[in-house]
Amino acid sequence: MHSSTVNIIGAGRVGQTIARLLQGKDGYILQDVLNARMQSAQDFVELIGQGRAVDNFAELRAADVWMLTVPDTQIHRVAEQIAKAYSASPTPSVALHCSGFFPADQMAPLRSLNWRLASVHPVLSFADPLTAARQFNGVLCGVEGDPEATEVATTMFEALGAKCFPIKSEGKSLYHAAAVISNNFTVVLQAIAREAWDAAGVPDDVAQQLKETLLRGTCDNVCAQGPKAALTGPAARGDDFVVETQGRDVGDWHPVAGRIYSDLSALAKSLSKSGKTRSAGD
């Protein structure tokens, strides 16, 4: 059975997580590791117990799969450096990056080598590589790019325990924005609610209980029934007087939050009627 060789460029948390998952995995061999600092690449190899640390692109051996696990803004530059260091080969390699925002074409310089390109975005926190590796089984991964490369990426990441799903390349930014809205903005809204309760004189311990009760109930309902059926509140009921009055009161207290309240109330009203926040004419 042929084992695919894997080079990793970028010895940070994402690269470490993937290397840990590759360790001892049938069908894959961690080969070379390159980082801006040679010491980091050496520490990486020592930590994983596999692979070879190198300190320049020319030392990287040919590989079946190249993982560019560098910061998003460095992906294109690294692809340019690889393209300068190598020439096209009869058997094209596959290059992958893990950005949630940039599409596979961020590595476009590698097309000059006749390589196939894909991006794989694991929907997971990589704050700690060891924890991320433990949590990787069943993690959802958005995949887009060239058909041959997405097939290789899907096979590899599913072998590591992930569940892959396709994304439209032209919709990559919108895909990532949706994750931000679903995750990060939920946190921001919780902070606004907590501050509003405080301004309304609600004791801190009670506010904490209110947050936990409402957030858990909302999460359970949305997951079980979907957004339209889970929606409650004055906008969903069509209580325009309450919506308008609260919008003014929130705006007097916190102008930005007031605009958010009014805009989200309008979206909630639309959702309650049509099941969508965006009308067909928008």
Side-chain angles (χ1 to χ4, degrees):
M1 175 182 172
H2 170 71
S3 291
S4 297
T5 52
V6 181
N7 285 347
I8 293 181
I9 302 175
R13 291 172 291 188
V14 176
Q16 288 180 37
T17 301
I18 292 170
R20 285 181 182 275
L21 294 166
L22 286 171
Q23 192 176 29
K25 181 66 63 177
D26 290 341
Y28 296 95
I29 299 172
L30 176 59
Q31 184 175 253
D32 293 339
V33 178
L34 173 66
N35 196 68
R37 292 179 61 251
M38 179 60 171
Q39 185 61 53
S40 296
Q42 291 172 334
D43 292 343
F44 182 108
V45 168
E46 183 177 349
L47 177 68
I48 302 302
Q50 187 179 351
R52 181 187 70 144
V54 301
D55 64 359
N56 63 74
F57 287 90
E59 290 187 29
L60 288 163
R61 290 169 288 182
D64 298 306
V65 179
W66 294 65
M67 290 294 313
L68 276 61
T69 54
V70 296
D72 287 9
T73 55
Q74 295 181 22
I75 293 171
H76 186 80
R77 181 182 62 80
V78 168
E80 287 180 327
Q81 291 177 290
I82 296 172
K84 290 177 182 178
Y86 288 85
S87 57
S89 60
T91 305
S93 297
V94 166
L96 311 175
H97 74 62
C98 294
S99 170
F101 172 73
F102 285 113
D105 265 351
Q106 190 71 3
M107 301 179 292
L110 296 174
R111 294 198 185 282
S112 66
L113 304 180
N114 199 31
W115 287 12
R116 305 295 185 257
L117 314 177
S119 73
V120 187
H121 177 236
V123 185
L124 179 70
S125 170
F126 288 91
D128 175 64
L130 186 58
T131 300
R134 289 172 178 163
Q135 296 174 339
F136 205 82
N137 190 50
V139 71
L140 293 169
C141 290
V143 182
E144 61 82 28
D146 300 329
E148 304 95 323
T150 57
E151 183 177 352
V152 169
T154 298
T155 299
M156 176 176 165
F157 273 72
E158 289 188 346
L160 301 181
K163 294 181 180 179
C164 295
F165 62 92
I167 310 170
K168 294 178 181 178
S169 295
E170 65 274 17
K172 189 69 179 287
S173 177
L174 190 60
Y175 153 79
H176 191 254
V180 171
I181 293 167
S182 178
N183 183 11
N184 305 111
F185 288 174
T186 298
V187 176
V188 175
L189 291 174
Q190 289 301 308
I192 294 172
R194 191 66 178 267
E195 292 166 22
W197 277 322
D198 181 64
V202 177
D204 191 64
D205 61 330
V206 176
Q208 176 67 18
Q209 294 176 50
L210 287 170
K211 181 199 73 173
E212 291 178 3
T213 300
L214 291 171
L215 187 59
R216 286 201 181 99
T218 299
C219 183
D220 289 345
N221 291 336
V222 169
C223 290
Q225 305 174 48
K228 184 177 186 296
L231 184 65
T232 61
R237 294 192 299 269
D239 196 339
D240 294 338
F241 174 77
V242 172
V243 170
E244 291 172 7
T245 302
Q246 284 186 340
R248 287 195 300 270
D249 291 341
V250 174
D252 290 342
W253 164 69
H254 187 323
V256 174
R259 293 194 294 273
I260 291 172
Y261 181 92
S262 297
D263 288 345
L264 289 180
S265 293
L267 296 179
K269 188 173 183 178
S270 176
L271 177 62
S272 70
K273 290 181 176 180
S274 68
K276 295 183 179 294
T277 61
R278 184 172 181 265
S279 66
D282 290 344

